[in-house]
Amino acid sequence: MPNGERTETSRVAVVLRRGLNTARPIFTRFRLLLALKAAIGVTAAWLIGRLLPGELNEYAYYAPLGALLGVAPTIVSSVRTSVELITGIVIGLGIGWVLVATGSPWYVRAPVAAGLGMLIAGVRKLGEGRSYVAIAAVFVVIIGAGDPDSYVAGYVAQFGIGLFVGTVVNLVFIPPLMYGYARSRIADLKSDFAAAAEDLATVLTTAWPPDRADWLDDARRRQRSVDDAEEMVREAKESGRGNPRNLWRRFDASSDDADIEALRYVGLRLADISDALGGAIWHQPVAVTIPDEAIDSLGRALSALAEYIRAWNTSVDVDEAREAYAAAVQDVGEVFERAETESGFGTIVFALRSMLGRIDERIEESSAAVE
């Protein structure tokens, strides 16, 4: 296949991989169940809210909103969110009620309600309820100014019913544990890093200097992907708190935390290589010299790195992949020692060697944990 066609095929593969990684979290059993619970919670809250006596049922539209906010991904977060929201709303309603009671005109009480609400929103202990302090206060001074007592009572009653219904729905339909999703995301990230190393190898095996620059953006994007995976591991831990499913399925997150740490390190080193290659091609941010004799061996080392990361991910042919990568790194190091070039190329050599050591260490830790 000609180099141009190979490069275009690589670009298409990268786009497809990104699209699949973006869409995969949407159509999961966890996300579909959350959508179903939200639909049930909103419907039930609306029907129950309409049954309240007297003027309270006039504010039934707040019940579905409370249910929607009460349906959270985990049991613990559902209860915590409900408490935080009702606290923030009650504070905001209190501010609005006091301002209406002063008899001040709307053009005074409205900005004061908004300002006080935003100031109190700076209290981090209010959690999810922070942003609703100002909203509740402004609603009282504008919408409920004619009958603040009924409005405040209706708002609290309906929103409270909604939060209660959302929490109950979350308890009845026990949220699934997210351990599998977290580990799947880490596996996808390893595959992405392997593909990134292969992309860099492809850059080096095409006509030099290459005309591609998208791999520089990929290096920055990978760090955000690590952050996303780390957040998913955190959510997985929380999904087990107070969850009955955890009684028969124990989970040790230490392995996932260690993988995230190792991937973050590998991502930084790949970024170093990307920056050094950018310096060699466009002399930005600084000029870097890569000896001509090093280009082929560097391309082979990056290809071997991609295979080693895949072996780490699948636990298949690990020793063979490790041996091939170590030999390729040694070849690049020998070229560096002969060329006596400046530190830019030395950065690449250090990155290759340090990734070898870091992945070795992580694989050894995993093997020891299994034993």
Side-chain angles (χ1 to χ4, degrees):
M1 181 183 296
N3 286 338
E5 293 183 13
R6 186 184 301 114
T7 300
E8 187 62 30
T9 301
S10 176
R11 290 176 179 174
V12 172
V14 169
V15 172
L16 289 176
R17 187 171 65 250
R18 289 180 186 172
L20 289 174
N21 288 340
T22 300
R24 187 178 291 114
I26 299 175
F27 301 101
T28 62
R29 184 169 61 92
F30 168 78
R31 185 57 55 182
L32 292 173
L33 178 59
L34 189 63
L36 175 63
K37 290 190 295 184
I40 293 174
V42 165
T43 303
W46 169 252
L47 294 175
I48 295 173
R50 294 294 300 273
L51 297 177
L52 292 188
E55 297 179 349
L56 294 180
N57 64 14
E58 296 180 7
Y59 305 98
Y61 47 84
Y62 285 121
L65 176 59
L68 190 62
L69 295 173
V71 175
T74 67
I75 292 176
V76 171
S77 60
S78 180
V79 175
R80 182 180 61 240
T81 298
S82 296
V83 172
E84 291 172 349
L85 286 172
I86 202 67
T87 302
I89 287 170
V90 168
I91 292 173
L93 293 174
I95 292 173
W97 187 88
V98 170
L99 288 173
V100 172
T102 62
S104 57
W106 71 267
Y107 53 82
V108 173
R109 59 177 184 261
V112 171
L116 287 176
M118 293 304 293
L119 287 175
I120 295 175
V123 180
R124 294 188 175 276
K125 288 186 178 181
L126 290 175
E128 296 292 332
R130 293 191 299 163
S131 57
Y132 285 87
V133 176
I135 293 174
V138 170
F139 277 12
V140 173
V141 300
I142 294 179
I143 301 176
D147 188 0
D149 294 340
S150 297
Y151 184 82
V152 169
Y155 198 130
V156 172
Q158 295 287 1
F159 208 91
I161 286 175
L163 288 173
F164 177 75
V165 169
T167 303
V168 169
V169 169
N170 225 27
L171 291 172
V172 172
F173 296 91
I174 302 175
L177 299 172
M178 297 175 60
Y179 306 149
Y181 301 116
R183 287 185 170 166
S184 176
R185 183 68 189 93
I186 291 174
D188 290 342
L189 200 56
K190 290 177 182 177
S191 297
D192 191 30
F193 275 40
E198 205 159 53
D199 283 346
L200 292 176
T202 301
V203 168
L204 288 164
T205 55
T206 56
W208 188 263
D211 59 355
R212 289 184 58 192
D214 54 330
W215 41 272
L216 291 175
D217 295 330
D218 289 345
R220 303 178 183 95
R221 178 185 57 80
R222 281 191 296 274
Q223 292 307 307
R224 294 193 296 271
S225 298
V226 175
D227 293 337
D228 292 341
E230 186 176 35
E231 177 64 18
M232 185 165 287
V233 170
R234 187 197 65 77
E235 291 178 357
K237 295 177 187 176
E238 183 157 320
S239 72
R241 295 177 58 194
N243 194 323
R245 296 178 189 270
N246 211 32
L247 296 175
W248 59 84
R249 185 182 174 188
R250 306 302 299 174
F251 174 67
D252 180 10
S254 59
S255 176
D256 293 337
D257 289 333
D259 275 352
I260 291 293
E261 184 180 349
L263 283 168
R264 189 178 299 281
Y265 185 86
V266 171
L268 289 172
R269 299 292 77 79
L270 284 174
D272 289 341
I273 295 175
S274 297
D275 287 341
L277 290 179
I281 299 169
W282 299 289
H283 307 295
Q284 294 291 334
V286 294
V288 174
T289 301
I290 298 179
D292 292 338
E293 59 183 306
I295 292 177
D296 288 341
S297 59
L298 181 55
R300 289 193 298 272
L302 288 167
S303 294
L305 170 62
E307 293 304 318
Y308 191 29
I309 295 175
R310 291 191 180 100
W312 171 28
N313 192 20
T314 61
S315 300
V316 177
D317 297 330
V318 176
D319 292 337
E320 293 83 349
R322 195 269 175 198
E323 183 177 346
Y325 180 47
V329 171
Q330 184 175 355
D331 290 343
V332 176
E334 290 175 355
V335 174
F336 173 67
E337 292 172 0
R338 290 197 306 270
E340 296 182 353
T341 187
E342 43 76 41
S343 61
F345 183 48
T347 298
I348 297 177
V349 176
F350 168 78
L352 293 172
R353 288 173 174 170
S354 61
M355 283 189 287
L356 174 63
R358 189 67 186 87
I359 298 174
D360 283 350
E361 179 184 353
R362 182 67 200 107
I363 291 176
E364 290 173 5
E365 290 173 352
S366 299
S367 300
V370 170
E371 295 174 359

